[in-house]
Amino acid sequence: MSTPLPPSIRVLQAGSIAMLTTTAGLSASLSFFVIPRLMESPTPIMVGQFMRAVTTAHRTLPFPLIIPGFVNAWLAYRLPEKARLYALAAVLTFSTLPWTRAVMMPLNRAMERRIMEPNAEPETAHQLADSWATRNLYRPVVAFAAGCIGLYAALT
């Protein structure tokens, strides 16, 4: 029979799983609920609301997504028998950083430029918002997968 883990480890495991899965749901809600509703609005209103929604998400979602990456990396170090699982969860979590920088930030900048061009075609703004919603799905899928891997590691 193996030695039970200290309560502090269990709290970190639970916190990491909860943060990753909750953040995955919040991030997915942007793509599934917020952006489609915004696309029903007239273009000038949609662009402004889109930028406010993205700015709010940018302020609130990174920390509950990144903290579990560090927690999982620490758990990989602390629990060598489950190091591969926790390391995988950490790598998946941290993979959202380059994705955001390389894929999402250019779309945000394009939408900001769209604000400066009030006479631009409405389809352009809607295409950008649709593209953003589609590409954003990487982040919740990866966060949810990392949370599930962390849950599996905690329960086995």
Side-chain angles (χ1 to χ4, degrees):
M1 186 178 225
S2 64
T3 308
L5 294 173
S8 59
I9 298 281
R10 289 290 183 198
V11 167
L12 288 173
Q13 289 172 324
S16 173
I17 294 162
M19 281 192 277
L20 282 169
T21 54
T22 302
T23 304
L26 291 170
S27 187
S29 71
L30 290 171
S31 291
F32 289 123
F33 303 117
V34 175
I35 302 302
R37 295 302 67 82
L38 292 179
M39 291 177 66
E40 295 170 355
S41 302
T43 302
I45 293 171
M46 183 210 61
V47 171
Q49 290 176 337
F50 174 88
M51 291 311 300
R52 284 191 292 279
V54 168
T55 300
T56 301
H58 179 71
R59 278 189 243 132
T60 57
L61 292 180
F63 289 115
L65 183 62
I66 299 306
I67 290 170
F70 288 112
V71 170
N72 283 320
W74 185 81
L75 289 169
Y77 167 76
R78 181 72 169 78
L79 303 171
E81 65 278 1
K82 297 179 183 181
R84 286 186 178 180
L85 290 171
Y86 284 118
L88 178 60
V91 167
L92 283 173
T93 301
F94 289 131
S95 76
T96 61
L97 296 174
W99 176 263
T100 299
R101 174 75 66 187
V103 176
M104 302 305 291
M105 294 303 282
L107 289 173
N108 292 348
R109 285 192 290 277
M111 190 63 88
E112 287 172 359
R113 284 191 304 271
R114 176 63 182 81
I115 291 174
M116 303 304 168
E117 301 172 11
N119 297 329
E121 296 179 23
E123 294 80 27
T124 305
H126 284 81
Q127 288 170 347
L128 286 171
D130 185 51
S131 181
W132 189 95
T134 303
R135 293 177 187 183
N136 180 61
L137 290 174
Y138 174 81
R139 295 187 286 195
V141 167
V142 166
F144 186 71
C148 289
I149 291 168
L151 178 63
Y152 177 76
L155 294 178
T156 59

